[in-house]
Amino acid sequence: MKKIFLLLVLFSLLSCEKDDICAEDTTSKLVIEFYNNDDRTELRSVSNMKVIADGETDSLIVFTGNKLSIPLRITADQTKYSFTINSTDTTFANEDLIEINYSREDIYVSRACGYKTVFELASTNPFVASDAVSVANQWIKDIDIETTTIDNENEVHVKIYF
């Protein structure tokens, strides 16, 4: 009886696997920094910027600061957002529409993590801004692409000047 018990314990210990915990990278967000258009080295904070994904009615975030991370769609090669600065003040609120064009590649990470998506910004028109009302009212003045591959959140991918 003791031998059977020891045999069962031995088999149960040998059949154990390490915990499936995903400590590795997952799909990264797009990192955007905001800069002063008149002095392109000066970080500039946006105030009460409401970010709404295309097709949604609720804001993804209301943000004040100079660095923002937003997710991209993993099921399409384009993501659209509405960026409205001063969103809490109806007199000074200004909405620009952002269209981000990219290709994507799903990469296997591990059994615990599954797949992650790496984005590559399109070579032509990767980041397009337009005003919801008129070009004269557009608050985003310029956009610089810092890196076209979005595979981590440790670096800035896009700089927006306003």
Side-chain angles (χ1 to χ4, degrees), residues 14-159:
L14 291 176
S15 65
C16 290
E17 296 181 22
K18 68 178 188 171
D19 289 339
D20 285 339
I21 298 174
C22 181
E24 298 180 41
D25 288 333
T26 57
T27 298
S28 298
K29 295 179 182 176
L30 176 73
V31 179
I32 302 170
E33 271 187 339
F34 296 91
Y35 284 83
N36 184 341
N37 192 47
D38 296 327
D39 179 359
R40 293 181 157 241
T41 60
E42 178 186 344
L43 282 169
R44 184 173 178 190
S45 289
V46 291
S47 297
N48 297 313
M49 184 172 72
K50 181 171 42 172
V51 179
I52 301 176
D54 187 41
E56 299 294 323
T57 55
D58 293 330
S59 64
L60 174 68
I61 188 172
V62 175
F63 170 78
T64 297
N66 57 26
K67 192 173 191 177
L68 173 68
S69 297
I70 56 173
L72 299 177
R73 294 178 62 201
I74 61 171
T75 58
D77 289 339
Q78 183 183 75
T79 300
K80 294 180 182 181
Y81 282 104
S82 162
F83 284 9
T84 305
I85 59 170
N86 304 317
S87 63
T88 56
D89 185 344
T90 55
T91 304
F92 296 106
N94 189 342
E95 178 186 23
D96 280 2
L97 307 174
I98 304 295
E99 178 181 306
I100 307 155
N101 299 296
Y102 49 86
S103 60
R104 46 202 159 86
E105 179 183 2
D106 292 330
I107 297 173
Y108 182 76
V109 177
S110 68
R111 187 176 74 176
C113 298
Y115 288 84
K116 78 175 193 173
T117 302
V118 174
F119 303 99
E120 186 72 29
L121 292 177
S123 57
T124 57
N125 294 327
F127 211 89
V128 182
S130 60
D131 190 80
V133 180
S134 71
V135 173
N137 197 37
Q138 188 170 330
W139 67 269
I140 295 176
K141 303 302 180 197
D142 197 11
I143 299 169
D144 281 344
I145 307 300
E146 293 298 302
T147 182
T148 57
T149 303
I150 302 165
D151 62 353
N152 69 68
E153 295 178 25
N154 299 329
E155 59 190 359
V156 175
H157 304 113
V158 175
K159 291 181 178 178

